[in-house]
Amino acid sequence: MFTISVYSENNVGLLNRISGIFLKRHINILSLNVSESEIENVSRFVIVVNTTEKWVQNIVGQIEKQIEVIKAFYHIDEETIFLESAIFKIESSLLFDERQIQNIIKDSKSEIVTVSRDFFVISKSGKRSEIEELYAKLKPFGIMQFVRSGRISISKEKMEISTLLEALK
């Protein structure tokens, strides 16, 4: 599995063109997150794919040909620190009637973010496997709604993107 980081200007249509690069090669995007980066006016895409290193090198090269793209990198999982987040909506009565739910929340190091008369919401950040484990434990009680974010990641090694941008000014 590879994590691709793309630093770019925030322009309309870029996401569509980047996803088209994967589509042409019949490579499925497992996770996609786009946000502001540590650099003002620069966005960062975090894209997770399961392919060969040869293909990921080719894809990064194609992404860098996009005019708005400043720089693209790829890393294997061992070279990054990464997390996902999830929220679960559960029926409120279970919080009070099922002591086991409280233990699941505590043991999974998740937190309750809101409680209402009809439902409560649990938030969990961590590795995908941790979120899947929490999902499996809550499923027998009934999950009203569930959503998980794409991967967010930072590299363990220093990335010289800020230095590169300074040189481009």
Side-chain angles (χ1 to χ4, degrees), residues 13-69:
L14 179 60
L15 176 58
N16 201 24
R17 290 195 307 280
I18 288 175
S19 65
I21 292 169
F22 293 91
L23 178 65
K24 288 178 193 170
R25 288 162 183 77
H26 302 285
I27 295 173
N28 189 33
I29 295 173
L30 302 175
S31 172
L32 171 66
N33 185 70
V34 183
S35 69
E36 298 171 339
S37 73
E38 66 275 18
I39 304 154
E40 191 173 338
N41 299 318
V42 174
S43 294
R44 182 173 179 197
F45 291 66
V46 177
I47 306 165
V48 179
V49 294
N50 191 5
T51 189
T52 65
E53 187 163 11
K54 181 181 180 213
W55 275 108
V56 84
Q57 288 171 344
N58 185 290
I59 289 166
V60 166
Q62 289 296 309
I63 290 171
E64 284 191 327
K65 289 181 181 177
Q66 302 299 311
I67 196 151
E68 305 93 330
V69 172

Side-chain angles (χ1 to χ4, degrees), residues 125-146:
S125 290
K127 303 272 188 207
R128 178 172 284 227
S129 60
E130 295 170 343
I131 292 169
E132 288 172 346
E133 182 181 333
L134 178 58
Y135 183 92
K137 288 179 178 177
L138 292 173
K139 188 170 172 61
F141 297 98
I143 298 171
M144 297 169 74
Q145 289 183 38
F146 167 76

Side-chain angles (χ1 to χ4, degrees), residues 71-82:
K71 187 70 179 155
F73 304 90
Y74 73 91
H75 297 94
I76 60 173
D77 285 354
E78 291 76 19
E79 297 172 332
T80 64
I81 298 164
F82 57 91

Side-chain angles (χ1 to χ4, degrees), residues 55-158:
W55 275 108
V56 84
Q57 288 171 344
N58 185 290
I59 289 166
V60 166
Q62 289 296 309
I63 290 171
E64 284 191 327
K65 289 181 181 177
Q66 302 299 311
I67 196 151
E68 305 93 330
V69 172
I70 299 162
K71 187 70 179 155
F73 304 90
Y74 73 91
H75 297 94
I76 60 173
D77 285 354
E78 291 76 19
E79 297 172 332
T80 64
I81 298 164
F82 57 91
L83 294 173
E84 294 182 7
S85 293
I87 51 177
F88 300 81
K89 182 178 174 183
I90 310 287
E91 185 182 324
S92 277
S93 64
L94 294 171
L95 184 60
F96 306 105
D97 298 341
E98 293 286 345
R99 181 80 177 144
Q100 192 176 356
I101 290 270
Q102 294 175 25
N103 292 335
I104 290 169
I105 294 167
K106 186 177 137 209
D107 293 345
S108 67
K109 296 182 175 81
S110 52
E111 65 178 278
I112 298 172
V113 293
T114 192
V115 177
S116 76
R117 179 182 304 261
D118 300 321
F119 64 88
F120 67 100
V121 176
I122 302 168
S123 171
K124 169 72 179 153
S125 290
K127 303 272 188 207
R128 178 172 284 227
S129 60
E130 295 170 343
I131 292 169
E132 288 172 346
E133 182 181 333
L134 178 58
Y135 183 92
K137 288 179 178 177
L138 292 173
K139 188 170 172 61
F141 297 98
I143 298 171
M144 297 169 74
Q145 289 183 38
F146 167 76
V147 66
R148 178 177 51 222
S149 73
R151 175 182 287 191
I152 55 172
S153 72
I154 55 175
S155 65
K156 291 180 181 177
E157 294 295 317
K158 184 176 180 181

